[in-house]
């Protein structure tokens, strides 16, 4: 862990209510603008969401979309609500939610193409990647950051294969 915590002032537009990133988050900050894959395996409450936001922010500031793949619809809804809140640094971005109970109508496809942040379930990510051509999901080509929450689902017998194939297709 870094000895010196990185101040949140390095990303003042994200408006974090604390002065410094914690040790886990401080490990991510130097890598946020690099073309690398990052796996954050920190305990619950260690600030993994902020790590995700740092990575997503870099993509967004470079005019790319960010996808946040959540393991459950409830978590997807929670993140969407948080990032749309006027107090959050992402509030100026367009956030849309995609879960399996949304049909991809032409209107919905237009909304997705115009969205900055796409919050979706891992199953929806698998579906959209698998049906890229038939559904005209070319918006996936505009994604600069893919964050997979609860990536350990790869080891689950029922859901792991869907997540694995989604990541590989993406």
């Amino acid at each position: 862990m870094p000895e010196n915590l990185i101040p949140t002032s390095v990303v003042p537009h994200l408006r974090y209510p604390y002065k410094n990133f914690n040790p886990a988050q401080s490990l991510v900050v130097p890598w946020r603008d690099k073309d690398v894959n990052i796996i954050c395996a920190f305990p619950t409450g260690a600030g993994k969401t902020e790590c995700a936001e740092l990575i997503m922010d870099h993509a967004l500031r470079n005019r790319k979309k960010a996808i946040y793949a959540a393991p459950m619809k409830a978590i997807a809804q929670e993140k969407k609500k948080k990032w749309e809140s006027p107090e959050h640094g992402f509030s100026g971005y367009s956030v849309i939610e995609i879960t399996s109970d949304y049909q991809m109508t032409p209107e919905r496809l237009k909304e997705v193409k115009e969205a900055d942040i796409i919050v979706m379930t891992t199953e929806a990510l698998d579906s959209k990647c698998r049906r890229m051509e038939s559904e005209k999901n070319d918006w996936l080509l505009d994604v600069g950051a893919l964050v997979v929450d609860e990536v350990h689902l790869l080891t689950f017998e029922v859901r792991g294969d869907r997540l694995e194939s989604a990541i590989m297709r993406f």
Side-chain angles (χ1 to χ4, degrees):
M1 294 287 182
E3 291 180 4
N4 296 320
L5 299 180
I6 296 177
T8 57
S9 61
V10 300
V11 285
H13 56 282
L14 290 181
R15 301 188 297 245
Y16 289 114
Y18 38 86
K19 185 177 177 182
N20 294 311
F21 288 109
N22 70 25
Q25 296 159 346
S26 291
L27 287 171
V28 172
V29 172
W31 295 97
R32 69 190 228 67
D33 61 349
K34 309 282 189 274
D35 186 17
V36 297
N37 297 317
I38 298 174
I39 297 174
C40 296
F42 307 132
T44 299
K48 291 184 293 287
T49 296
E50 288 81 356
C51 292
E53 291 170 354
L54 288 165
I55 300 305
M56 293 167 60
D57 175 62
H58 177 71
L60 294 165
R61 291 179 69 73
N62 284 289
R63 301 185 197 277
K64 292 289 193 175
K65 294 182 182 300
I67 292 178
Y68 186 90
M72 297 181 294
K73 181 178 177 177
I75 294 173
Q77 291 171 333
E78 174 187 308
K79 297 300 183 192
K80 181 179 185 293
K81 182 178 178 182
K82 175 183 179 180
W83 292 330
E84 289 178 326
S85 168
E87 296 83 39
H88 197 280
F90 285 172
S91 63
Y93 291 109
S94 169
V95 183
I96 193 166
E97 177 188 344
I98 300 177
T99 58
S100 58
D101 51 352
Y102 285 102
Q103 289 210 334
M104 195 56 76
T105 63
E107 295 80 24
R108 185 83 174 144
L109 183 58
K110 184 177 186 279
E111 290 176 1
V112 173
K113 286 182 177 186
E114 293 173 357
D116 301 306
I117 301 172
I118 301 153
V119 183
M120 57 195 334
T121 58
T122 53
E123 284 80 8
L125 176 64
D126 178 46
S127 174
K128 297 307 160 205
C129 289
R130 189 170 8 93
R131 296 180 178 144
M132 182 162 170
E133 288 184 33
S134 65
E135 289 185 356
K136 297 181 176 44
N137 291 328
D138 56 331
W139 52 269
L140 287 165
L141 300 173
D142 297 328
V143 175
L146 169 63
V147 173
V148 179
D149 189 2
E150 305 292 342
V151 76
H152 68 276
L153 289 176
L154 285 169
T155 64
F156 285 37
E157 186 175 328
V158 177
R159 301 181 71 200
D161 58 339
R162 284 249 176 114
L163 178 55
E164 181 178 11
S165 65
I167 293 170
M168 288 189 309
R169 281 189 190 101
F170 181 81

